[in-house]
Amino acid sequence: MSASVEIVRYSPDWPAKFEAEKQALLSVLSPWLVGEIQHVGSTAVAGLSAKPIIDIMAPVSSLLESEAAIASAVAAGYSYYPYRADVMHWFCKPSPDVRTHHLHLVPYGSELWLDRLAFRDALRKNQALADEYASLKLRLARQFPDDREAYTQGKTPFVHRVLSNVRPEKSNAT
């Protein structure tokens, strides 16, 4: 699963790429969706540098009830990988080596669902926070250019700090 980490400047095309993929996914995943498909991750935050991969989070009622959606997503060009299979069904498109999209089927209202939206929204509302995150991501990309997992782990303390401020119940749970 490890791949190179490339951070690029924000592209104003990212929202349109999300919308196009969202429309394609609606026809494929509609039997399992229980809410609106969301654009998450750094490409969902205007002006934020990011890996040029559109992160898409689709709400399902449960992982068990959405297992059949895996075959539909694969038929739509996604590669399934059981990454964090206890909290989501995870896919990349078109392949693990060349990624333009990540698709996360996540139970609606779960901690992961709430955290991803809260983090995205916090960055959208606070430019200083988004700038701090961009600096961290650039530093981590230089430090771990060929280790995506280490890059992701390096962001974890920042993400937890942001979430503890925007979802105070999170800081009491640990």
Side-chain angles (χ1 to χ4, degrees):
M1 272 280 290
S2 196
S4 65
V5 177
E6 175 193 20
I7 304 297
V8 300
R9 287 183 180 207
Y10 178 79
S11 171
D13 296 337
W14 289 340
K17 287 181 178 184
F18 162 75
E19 284 299 328
E21 196 66 17
K22 174 183 172 181
Q23 292 309 310
L25 287 169
L26 282 170
S27 64
V28 174
L29 298 177
S30 63
W32 300 279
L33 296 176
V34 295
E36 188 175 341
I37 295 174
Q38 298 287 323
H39 188 186
V40 295
S42 295
T43 62
V45 180
L48 185 60
S49 297
K51 295 187 308 291
I53 301 168
I54 307 299
D55 277 296
I56 301 165
M57 188 169 66
V60 296
S61 60
S62 74
L63 295 177
L64 182 62
E65 290 180 26
S66 63
E67 281 181 355
I70 293 171
S72 292
V74 169
Y78 282 86
S79 296
Y80 173 69
Y81 192 85
Y83 174 73
R84 298 188 62 201
D86 58 322
V87 293
M88 70 176 143
H89 299 305
W90 187 88
F91 306 82
C92 56
K93 182 180 181 180
S95 73
D97 296 327
V98 177
R99 303 176 190 184
T100 59
H101 297 79
H102 287 159
L103 172 62
H104 316 257
L105 302 185
V106 177
Y108 182 78
S110 67
E111 286 296 310
L112 182 60
W113 179 267
L114 298 172
D115 285 351
R116 290 224 170 131
L117 293 179
F119 186 72
R120 177 200 66 193
D121 294 347
L123 294 178
R124 283 178 170 176
K125 292 175 186 171
N126 186 328
Q127 187 61 51
L129 196 63
D131 291 345
E132 182 182 352
Y133 190 50
S135 295
L136 172 64
K137 291 177 356 150
L138 289 168
R139 182 174 52 78
L140 291 169
R142 285 190 301 271
Q143 187 176 355
F144 303 110
D146 296 311
D147 189 343
R148 190 170 287 186
E149 196 61 31
Y151 164 83
T152 300
Q153 290 300 318
K155 297 185 302 180
T156 299
F158 179 87
V159 172
H160 285 169
R161 177 171 55 88
V162 170
L163 288 175
S164 70
N165 287 328
V166 297
R167 294 194 63 216
E169 69 276 12
K170 294 288 290 185
S171 60
N172 295 331
T174 23

